[in-house]
């Protein structure tokens, strides 16, 4: 019996290689979980948010896209828009 390998976590950036992973995550996992386009962020916006993060636009706030890989396959992801509110961080 083949055992699954441990999960690998990868935080995406605006690098072309990461945007390729984002595109794959978007079409194979994200769209399936949010089938209504009005209830999900567009791939274009998500890519732009990562670009803005690289440019420092968020300052104390932040934007994260984390994907989970197991056995060389994307299996999950997390999208976090984090707001720094003084001594408290709000993730939504």
């Amino acid at each position: 019996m083949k055992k699954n390998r441990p999960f690998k976590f990868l935080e995406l950036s605006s690098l072309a290689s990461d945007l390729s992973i984002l595109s794959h995550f978007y079409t194979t996992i994200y769209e399936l979980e949010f089938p209504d386009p009005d209830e999900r962020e567009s791939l274009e916006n998500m890519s732009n948010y990562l670009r803005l993060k690289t440019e420092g636009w968020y300052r104390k706030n932040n934007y994260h896209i984390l994907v989970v890989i197991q056995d060389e396959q994307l299996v999950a992801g997390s999208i976090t828009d984090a707001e720094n509110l003084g001594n408290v961080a709000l993730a939504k």
Side-chain angles (χ1 to χ4, degrees):
M1 173 194 276
K2 180 182 172 187
K3 283 191 170 187
N4 287 335
R5 294 185 182 152
F7 293 119
K8 274 184 10 184
F9 297 87
L10 175 65
E11 183 166 1
L12 301 183
S13 70
S14 61
L15 292 173
S17 58
D18 284 359
L19 295 179
S20 177
I21 294 169
L22 173 61
S23 179
H24 184 66
F25 164 75
Y26 194 91
T27 58
T28 61
I29 296 175
Y30 187 72
E31 283 183 321
L32 298 176
E33 295 299 324
F34 297 94
D36 184 343
D38 291 333
E39 294 180 357
R40 67 175 179 251
E41 195 64 68
S42 71
L43 177 58
E44 181 181 337
N45 282 350
M46 292 167 77
S47 299
N48 187 48
Y49 299 153
L50 290 174
R51 180 186 59 77
L52 290 170
K53 177 181 178 174
T54 300
E55 295 172 357
W57 184 85
Y58 286 97
R59 296 187 181 178
K60 290 184 178 182
N61 299 321
N62 221 323
Y63 184 77
H64 304 279
I65 300 177
L66 183 73
V67 294
V68 183
I69 301 166
Q70 185 180 45
D71 295 329
E72 306 303 320
Q73 299 291 317
L74 286 172
V75 296
S78 170
I79 301 161
T80 306
D81 191 2
E83 296 180 27
N84 185 329
L85 304 172
N87 292 332
V88 177
L90 171 67
K92 54 180 180 172

